[in-house]
Amino acid sequence: MSLRQIIILITVALAVMVVLPGLGRYGAYIVYVVAIASIGALALNLLIGYCGQISFCHGGLLGVGAYAAGNIGNAGQDMVVALVGAGIVTAFVSVMIGLPALRLRGLYFAISTLAAQFILEYLFRLIEPWTHGVSGLLIQPAPFFGLDLSNDRGYAAIAVGLLVMSLIAVSRLLRTDLGRRFILIRDSEIVARGMGVNVARTKLWAFAISGFLAGMSGGLLAFTSRIAAPEAFEIALSVDYVAMIIVGGLGSLPGAVIGAGFVVLLPEVAQRIGETFGAATQTAALREMVFGLLIILFLIHEPRGLNSLASRAVRRLRRTSGPLSNNKRSSASDLEMTQARL
Amino acid sequence: MFVLQLAVAGIAIGSVYALIALGIVLIYKCSGVVNFAQGGYAMLGAFITYGLTSVGLPSVIALVLAIAVMGGLGALTQILVLRPMLKAPVVAVMMATLGILITFRAVCLLIWGPDQIGFPALFPIGAIELSGIFMTYNYIAAFLLSAILCAGFLAFYHYTPIGLMQRCTADNTRAALAVGIHVSNQVTIAWTASAMLAGLGGALLASLNGLSLGLSNIGLVAFPVIVLGGMTSLPGAVVAGLVLGILQAVTDGVLTPAIERFLREHTDIYSVGTLQQVIPYALLVLVLLVRPQGIFGTKESERV
């Protein structure tokens, strides 16, 4: 991400903040739900899209973040402390889950994360002093830097702010030595080893950073929904997040945001349409069906994600307006395309 | 004696696990695709059997018809969804099978609703006693049917021309193409067989435990089974299915009460919850750490 892009990003974020008061409660709700999901998707994209470690326990990690933030917040701490604390706790759990990745590759690791997801779900129900079991942990509103921001607009501002910070941080990270090593490991572990990369340590860093972001996202989720209950962090949520980054585009930063928006807003829209037709069960079923079918159709036609669709559209526009700018642009997105391949 | 009684139940359930896991291994061997939708096929097979019996068909005919429908559906999904995705990244293909699972669940929710349904008896009700161990006809039939089908399927895979072409495709896709095997059709056959196995497995499970949307989770329980067996070993899947079935039954009947008794005496925790549901996954992680290729699997060498 160049300086220009960062400036654009910050401008967009400021614009969102300025429009926020005019959006109404529902609008603000949509903004923060998408922003929180985007942070989670960004974390997962770092792990899957950039470091090549397929994970199906992201929902469980968000849960760890939610419970950690809830407990710290309920102990009377500031929301900032709670979010950072949740990030650290989740990073630790994420590294634990990543340990098998030092010995396992690809599919086998993916299945071991599936196991981690079920073990986490089980623990959420079991460790009652921290999680309050099946009934769920109620979370008190906490001040943010001493300010009372516990309303929809406040949450939206916090979430958008954190999303921008995460986007900038991850894009910077990808330009460092460590970020380059992530991509090398994704492309070929053997080559990485041959070039003297400490594969084990690098992978664990990917798990730690991804876990930290996931923990913050889960923490925000907990504060905004005021409850952390086990059924909110089941395998279905992990599947949703994998769907987000594939729909948005693997190994693409804007893709994480686009995918999160798509996956979060689609049920919201389907719900609205369904409510005009019939009962709750039918609405839920129709929503799921639309989601499933759209994912399949989408993957058949655009397996590289919405982001590649967008960059192709941009390229086509540039080609018709001016052939000179075309060359540089297309080689850049070709590089993105090869990077997107796992 | 109690443990033996549990083992009987475990073997019956485990043989159904094996049946469902076989399908996943078959598809993986032949096309490298991990089918997360297998539980969806099992669930749909059970629901279709139920739907046909509620129309008035005898249960056995309903079961056979449902399995035929599942076979067609398996072939159809392969042709419509998997064929166009030949060149897509692995994760995208995994996700597509998850999309199939979500769609199937939604269809069943729409037609049959979210509640537990009493499944029609496929087999006569009753039990036989063998030196103190009771075996209901349900369990015996589930075990025998699964055992016969597993054996029949392995025989088919090893002794028929189509089986030979399947093994050839699984072994080396390029070589298979070179000797004139229509690889895409072989993959379609694998999906058909896999969906039929899953449909039967689903109906058997429903006849043991009742029918609800939760049946689709069986597809995820099948993953510890196939990983323990080694992703590419068909006999491995059968053995691992039986082992996990027994392990779950023993955990539920012996281990959980013992641990809870111990915890009640020494701490103030009263319950360890549904331990039998996580035990396969805990075992899975342990086995993977010690032997990453599974117990019966062969080590894949990686090329640059």
Side-chain angles (χ1 to χ4, degrees):
Chain A
M1 199 179 280
S2 65
L3 194 63
R4 207 186 62 174
Q5 282 168 312
I6 290 179
I7 293 170
I8 292 175
L9 191 63
I10 293 176
T11 321
V12 170
L14 285 178
V16 170
M17 304 258 187
V18 170
V19 204
L20 261 181
L23 276 178
R25 288 194 58 195
Y26 186 66
Y29 164 77
I30 294 289
V31 167
Y32 75 70
V33 168
V34 172
I36 293 173
S38 301
I39 301 174
L42 186 66
L44 189 62
N45 213 348
L46 184 67
L47 198 60
I48 300 186
Y50 288 102
C51 196
Q53 309 299 308
I54 301 171
S55 163
F56 283 105
C57 61
H58 208 63
L61 281 182
L62 292 175
V64 172
Y67 283 115
N71 277 310
I72 300 172
N74 282 354
Q77 298 291 335
D78 197 280
M79 199 196 281
V80 182
V81 180
L83 290 180
V84 173
I88 293 169
V89 171
T90 314
F92 180 73
V93 175
S94 177
V95 168
M96 288 287 122
I97 293 170
L99 281 179
L102 306 184
R103 260 174 80 78
L104 305 174
R105 256 194 289 279
L107 190 62
Y108 285 88
F109 176 70
I111 291 172
S112 87
T113 61
L114 199 65
Q117 168 70 36
F118 286 109
I119 293 171
L120 282 176
E121 277 178 27
Y122 174 70
L123 291 178
F124 291 158
R125 290 194 164 82
L126 190 68
I127 312 178
E128 297 209 350
W130 292 343
T131 65
H132 290 224
V134 190
S135 55
L137 175 71
L138 292 175
I139 293 152
Q140 307 301 325
F144 186 81
F145 275 124
L147 296 170
D148 178 28
L149 286 180
S150 52
N151 55 57
D152 290 322
R153 283 165 196 158
Y155 290 145
I158 298 173
V160 170
L162 262 182
L163 173 62
V164 169
M165 276 163 61
S166 320
L167 276 171
I168 294 172
V170 170
S171 73
R172 289 276 120 186
L173 169 75
L174 289 170
R175 297 192 152 200
T176 62
D177 195 32
L178 186 64
R180 298 288 190 219
R181 284 198 297 244
F182 289 165
I183 294 169
L184 185 58
I185 286 181
R186 175 195 69 193
D187 290 342
S188 169
E189 231 180 280
I190 291 184
V191 171
R193 197 168 294 139
M195 291 180 71
V197 172
N198 185 338
V199 173
R201 187 184 295 170
T202 311
K203 275 187 185 173
L204 290 185
W205 269 113
F207 282 102
I209 297 168
S210 162
F212 185 83
L213 286 175
M216 296 229 288
S217 165
L220 272 177
L221 205 61
F223 279 115
T224 53
S225 52
R226 295 199 175 158
I227 184 167
E231 70 264 19
F233 304 107
E234 283 179 348
I235 178 81
L237 188 66
S238 300
V239 171
D240 279 357
Y241 273 89
V242 178
M244 282 176 202
I245 61 166
I246 293 175
V247 167
L250 287 169
S252 136
L253 297 183
V257 181
I258 299 172
F262 183 82
V263 171
V264 170
L265 293 185
L266 181 68
E268 205 70 36
V269 173
Q271 178 101 26
R272 294 266 142 166
I273 297 170
E275 271 167 5
T276 54
F277 284 116
T281 311
Q282 269 102 352
T283 309
L286 281 174
R287 195 182 64 199
E288 289 293 299
M289 199 171 347
V290 169
F291 181 60
L293 286 176
L294 264 181
I295 294 264
I296 296 171
L297 280 177
F298 187 84
L299 287 173
I300 291 174
H301 292 292
E302 204 58 54
R304 309 242 174 273
L306 276 173
N307 190 52
S308 103
L309 195 69
S311 63
R312 225 170 37 216
V314 169
R315 226 186 310 164
R316 187 163 297 165
L317 277 178
R318 298 220 173 160
R319 195 171 296 151
T320 46
S321 60
L324 278 176
S325 58
N326 183 25
N327 242 344
K328 188 182 157 204
R329 177 71 206 174
S330 81
S331 65
S333 37
D334 279 348
L335 186 71
E336 278 169 23
M337 299 270 265
T338 44
Q339 280 181 353
R341 196 166 295 164
L342 263 173
Chain B
M1 199 50 73
F2 180 53
V3 176
L4 276 181
Q5 180 73 57
L6 288 172
V8 168
I11 288 174
I13 301 262
S15 58
V16 181
Y17 287 172
L19 208 57
I20 290 170
L22 267 185
I24 302 180
V25 174
L26 185 66
I27 290 175
Y28 179 71
K29 269 174 86 92
C30 164
S31 61
V33 170
V34 184
N35 181 15
F36 282 105
Q38 188 76 345
Y41 287 98
M43 174 189 63
L44 206 56
F47 270 115
I48 290 176
T49 312
Y50 168 78
L52 289 175
T53 52
S54 61
V55 178
L57 286 174
S59 54
V60 176
I61 296 179
L63 179 63
V64 172
L65 272 179
I67 293 173
V69 171
M70 292 315 295
L73 200 62
L76 206 63
T77 34
Q78 198 277 330
I79 293 168
L80 290 181
V81 180
L82 279 303
R83 275 196 194 181
M85 293 193 66
L86 264 182
K87 290 190 176 124
V90 189
V91 201
V93 182
M94 276 188 192
M95 193 60 224
T97 66
L98 282 169
I100 296 172
L101 177 64
I102 294 170
T103 311
F104 282 0
R105 281 181 63 109
V107 169
C108 289
L109 181 64
L110 197 63
I111 303 178
W112 288 287
D115 302 319
Q116 176 100 11
I117 294 170
F119 198 70
L122 292 176
F123 314 105
I125 296 163
I128 50 171
E129 190 199 338
L130 206 81
S131 61
I133 302 167
F134 287 94
M135 293 183 264
T136 63
Y137 292 136
N138 245 344
Y139 278 93
I140 297 174
F143 171 69
L144 284 181
L145 258 181
S146 309
I148 293 169
L149 260 146
C150 284
F153 179 76
L154 290 179
F156 171 82
Y157 200 67
H158 281 275
Y159 300 114
T160 65
I162 295 181
L164 181 64
M165 286 195 274
Q166 284 280 325
R167 278 183 293 144
C168 192
T169 310
D171 205 43
N172 189 329
T173 314
R174 275 164 196 271
L177 277 171
V179 295
I181 293 172
H182 197 306
V183 168
S184 298
N185 283 352
Q186 290 305 316
V187 179
T188 311
I189 291 172
W191 274 81
T192 312
S194 163
M196 289 168 86
L197 289 174
L200 174 66
L204 288 177
L205 264 187
S207 76
L208 297 179
N209 297 340
L211 176 58
S212 71
L213 286 179
L215 190 64
S216 62
N217 292 337
I218 184 64
L220 298 175
V221 179
F223 280 99
V225 174
I226 52 175
V227 170
L228 292 181
M231 282 302 278
T232 50
S233 165
L234 291 170
V238 176
V239 176
L242 290 175
V243 168
L244 272 187
I246 296 171
L247 183 73
Q248 274 192 322
V250 171
T251 309
D252 191 24
V254 182
L255 208 57
T256 311
I259 295 175
E260 285 183 349
R261 208 176 311 125
F262 177 81
L263 285 176
R264 250 195 300 269
E265 280 166 19
H266 298 277
T267 63
D268 40 347
I269 301 171
Y270 291 98
S271 162
V272 290
T274 48
L275 187 62
Q276 74 273 17
Q277 284 178 9
V278 271
I279 213 106
Y281 297 103
L283 187 70
L284 165 89
V285 174
L286 282 180
V287 168
L288 280 181
L289 283 178
V290 180
R291 223 182 123 78
Q293 69 272 28
I295 296 171
F296 295 90
T298 43
K299 199 161 188 170
E300 287 167 51
S301 53
E302 196 188 356
R303 295 202 188 98
V304 178

